[in-house]
Amino acid sequence: MQLDKMDENDWVYHGEGNKNLVVAHLSRVLRLLKYPAEDSENPPQSAEQAFRQIQNIVDFSSNVMSILLGEKFVHSGEVVKLPLEFVRQLSIKVQHERPGWRCDKVIDIYSGCALSLPNLTYPVLHLSTHTPPLCVEIKPKWGFLPSSKHVSKDIKSKVCRFCMYQLYKVATGKWKKRSLYCPLDLFSGNKQRMHFAIRQLIEEPQNNLKIFKGGQCIYSRKDSDDSLDLNSLLHHLRPYFLQGNNRFNCHMTNKAVLNDFIQVLMNALLSSEGREGGPVNDRHAERQSYCDASLFNKERSRQGSQGLPGDSVLSRILQTQMLDMRDIEELYPLYHRVEQHLQDFPKQRARLHIEGPYNKEFLEMLQKCPAEDDGSVEYAATKVGIHQYLITKTAKDCSIMVALVPSSDKEEEDEGPPPFTSLVSILDLDPKPFDSILYQLRLDQTIVSFYLQTRSALPEDSVSSHPTICAAPEKEECTLLFHPV
């Protein structure tokens, strides 16, 4: 990437979140900062501050999250300084591709700072084949239910945050249709539940699923008005599952193509490189391993295995999420203790690493914190307080990228989907700001209150599935559902 020869026409819109917009070109992507549109002519921070903000993200990813999640899954990237004219022209070029509901923020065109990362939708490993790689981006979200004794509403220990939030998002117009995906099904390790969860993501992806082919997005929902073309997706997928497959060959049904695709994706998510690992579900998770809002038939799942391979990507994410089992309601008093201390001693923000730096001292601070609350601000701010919660919040909001490259190792007589070489990575590992805890508490209260008020008034068709996609667990496990007469 030659910074002095950057051409905005070489880069394509890739997607965006609340704070960043991503563009891609061949093997690299750039993540550019965003800020509110009302600040478009008066940037909220200097170029030096923008550089430090992105460097903090790199340090947090490489020094904290890669240790917890595994270095093989994490790509931290590097900060780059881009020509300002290139950024301005790029901002104009991608504007028409952005979802309308994201346009309340604009690209930072003043600092020229960006995060450069490998383009995981277009991995280098595909160069040995002539077939464009597939890549699936999944935002798995929160994979367990809180077990805190301080939870004020019992519903929070029975229905997951994602499922409750769906009702609120539809009611406020963010999405027109409710997603029936439940994170607890995906993180269960049970293949039937995982199959069901991935199918629900495909039926209603919202911003939790994207599918790429050769680096180009072929399936997603940018906003609530965006229509989905499932037939087009199946048309793209079909050639990948005809190769070396003698069961139906060119006559494979849409159902078979989709089931093979989901099976390949599950294999990548469960892969542990031959290392054996027991279920990650500990005593807390076993207490309530199902979300009551999930439509998956719980009786069916008892016929399959439970738990994730210990070194799989889902296992590493769930273990990191569960570093702090407490609910935001229990955490808030600790946040309040730190907040009051900083009002009296504002210069101690640096000593307590409130906004970093995320270095060895930060890790030592987490490791040396006492196990029990001694009433100190150090306890409130470190291992079992603010920092640990914010680390788990990052793990709850991360993205999984699964790149799939067809392999030619399959024998013609083999049954099942063709083999793929997979590359699994974890993205979106930004540190969460200290001040976001108060916002999270208020949002949590709003979501729970709204769910309790509206769940009994749901119309019957609000949970109907898309008619063109067939539900089918694995063939072998399906046979277990039929009872002799």
Side-chain angles (χ1 to χ4, degrees):
M1 192 168 66
Q2 296 180 315
L3 297 179
D4 58 336
K5 297 180 180 180
M6 301 288 282
D7 184 346
E8 70 276 3
N9 295 311
D10 293 335
W11 296 82
V12 297
Y13 177 84
H14 191 77
E16 61 187 293
N18 185 45
K19 296 182 179 180
N20 303 277
L21 183 143
V22 182
V23 293
H25 173 52
L26 297 180
S27 63
R28 304 299 296 177
V29 298
L30 293 173
R31 260 184 43 169
L32 300 124
L33 296 174
K34 300 193 309 183
Y35 48 75
E38 56 265 26
D39 297 329
S40 58
E41 296 183 4
N42 185 26
Q45 59 182 358
S46 66
E48 182 179 350
Q49 290 171 323
F51 186 93
R52 169 45 53 191
Q53 179 182 343
I54 300 175
Q55 187 61 54
N56 250 4
I57 294 171
V58 174
D59 293 342
F60 184 73
S61 176
S62 60
N63 296 332
V64 179
M65 299 309 294
S66 67
I67 294 174
L68 297 172
L69 296 170
E71 293 182 2
K72 66 178 181 179
F73 293 126
V74 177
H75 305 269
S76 299
E78 61 179 341
V79 192
V80 293
K81 198 75 164 41
L82 303 170
L84 293 182
E85 183 59 25
F86 163 75
V87 180
R88 292 191 185 99
Q89 294 301 321
L90 182 65
S91 175
I92 296 171
K93 176 179 182 290
V94 304
Q95 184 62 31
H96 73 282
E97 299 182 66
R98 300 179 62 196
W101 62 282
R102 290 290 192 187
C103 291
D104 60 329
K105 293 187 177 181
V106 296
I107 296 176
D108 171 17
I109 61 173
Y110 294 101
S111 73
C113 297
L115 176 60
S116 175
L117 292 158
N119 185 358
L120 299 173
T121 69
Y122 201 74
V124 175
L125 59 84
H126 90 280
L127 297 176
S128 59
T129 74
H130 298 291
T131 306
L134 294 172
C135 184
V136 182
E137 178 181 357
I138 296 175
K139 285 187 174 294
K141 308 309 282 187
W142 191 342
F144 69 98
L145 296 171
S147 59
S148 171
K149 297 178 181 178
H150 296 267
V151 171
S152 62
K153 303 294 184 182
D154 186 53
I155 192 67
K156 293 168 72 172
S157 62
K158 297 178 180 179
V159 177
C160 77
R161 167 68 171 264
F162 182 89
C163 290
M164 282 196 281
Y165 205 178
Q166 280 298 302
L167 297 190
Y168 184 73
K169 286 183 175 181
V170 172
T172 54
K174 184 170 184 180
W175 301 109
K176 285 186 176 179
K177 183 182 176 184
R178 173 185 165 205
S179 170
L180 303 184
Y181 163 72
C182 179
L184 269 67
D185 289 332
L186 183 68
F187 281 102
S188 69
N190 178 283
K191 291 186 177 180
Q192 288 184 319
R193 290 178 68 185
M194 292 181 67
H195 189 288
F196 183 82
I198 294 171
R199 183 169 59 83
Q200 299 305 329
L201 282 173
I202 294 173
E203 290 185 2
E204 184 47 65
Q206 295 185 359
N207 61 339
N208 299 300
L209 176 91
K210 292 181 181 178
I211 301 175
F212 301 84
K213 175 184 173 183
Q216 301 294 317
C217 185
I218 59 172
Y219 191 76
S220 69
R221 190 186 287 283
K222 290 184 179 180
D223 54 46
S224 60
D225 294 324
D226 195 28
S227 60
L228 295 172
D229 190 347
L230 295 170
N231 288 329
S232 175
L233 172 63
L234 292 168
H235 174 76
H236 282 292
L237 294 179
R238 182 176 293 275
Y240 292 86
F241 297 95
L242 294 179
Q243 301 174 12
N245 191 312
N246 63 358
R247 294 171 300 157
F248 299 103
N249 224 351
C250 61
H251 301 295
M252 281 185 75
T253 63
N254 285 344
K255 175 181 174 180
V257 170
L258 190 70
N259 287 341
D260 277 4
F261 172 66
I262 293 176
Q263 182 63 49
V264 167
L265 182 55
M266 283 198 305
N267 290 344
L269 293 173
L270 292 172
S271 172
S272 60
E273 296 186 350
R275 302 179 196 173
E276 293 298 325
V280 297
N281 303 46
D282 66 2
R283 289 174 298 175
H284 297 287
E286 287 174 0
R287 184 178 63 85
Q288 176 74 19
S289 59
Y290 294 97
C291 169
D292 285 354
S294 172
L295 294 189
F296 187 84
N297 186 325
K298 297 177 178 57
E299 291 301 319
R300 288 166 53 186
S301 70
R302 292 190 173 91
Q303 298 164 355
S305 60
Q306 184 81 11
L308 296 165
D311 199 42
S312 64
V313 66
L314 290 176
S315 172
R316 297 302 292 263
I317 291 174
L318 185 58
Q319 288 178 65
T320 304
Q321 290 182 358
M322 295 173 70
L323 285 175
D324 194 332
M325 297 287 293
R326 293 169 304 174
D327 185 74
I328 184 69
E329 294 179 67
E330 183 181 0
L331 181 86
Y332 181 72
L334 297 177
Y335 163 79
H336 188 63
R337 184 190 303 175
V338 176
E339 184 185 42
Q340 286 198 319
H341 180 82
L342 293 178
Q343 288 177 356
D344 297 333
F345 307 98
K347 293 184 179 180
Q348 294 213 0
R349 294 182 78 91
R351 183 181 73 83
L352 296 174
H353 293 262
I354 297 301
E355 282 94 19
Y358 301 105
N359 49 24
K360 290 183 179 180
E361 291 182 6
F362 178 83
L363 288 176
E364 290 174 358
M365 183 179 177
L366 293 179
Q367 294 165 353
K368 292 180 179 179
C369 184
E372 296 184 3
D373 190 353
D374 57 3
S376 67
V377 67
E378 288 80 9
Y379 173 90
T382 53
K383 184 175 180 182
V384 290
I386 306 304
H387 289 312
Q388 186 160 329
Y389 167 80
L390 293 175
I391 287 172
T392 64
K393 189 72 174 65
T394 294
K396 293 168 186 174
D397 288 340
C398 71
S399 296
I400 302 173
M401 301 291 287
V402 181
L404 301 168
V405 178
S407 172
S408 58
D409 296 336
K410 187 177 177 72
E411 299 292 336
E412 283 295 322
E413 63 273 12
D414 287 352
E415 294 186 2
F420 285 77
T421 300
S422 63
L423 176 65
V424 182
S425 307
I426 305 174
L427 292 182
D428 298 335
L429 297 175
D430 299 18
K432 300 297 180 182
F434 168 76
D435 295 333
S436 69
I437 291 176
L438 180 57
Y439 166 78
Q440 290 297 331
L441 176 66
R442 291 171 176 169
L443 179 62
D444 181 80
Q445 292 170 339
T446 299
I447 292 170
V448 174
S449 176
F450 186 84
Y451 183 81
L452 290 173
Q453 292 173 12
T454 59
R455 60 175 175 163
S456 59
L458 283 176
E460 291 294 328
D461 60 355
S462 67
V463 294
S464 59
S465 297
H466 198 290
T468 62
I469 292 189
C470 303
E474 296 178 31
K475 179 181 178 183
E476 294 78 10
E477 295 180 348
C478 262
T479 59
L480 297 175
L481 304 180
F482 294 93
H483 302 283
V485 295

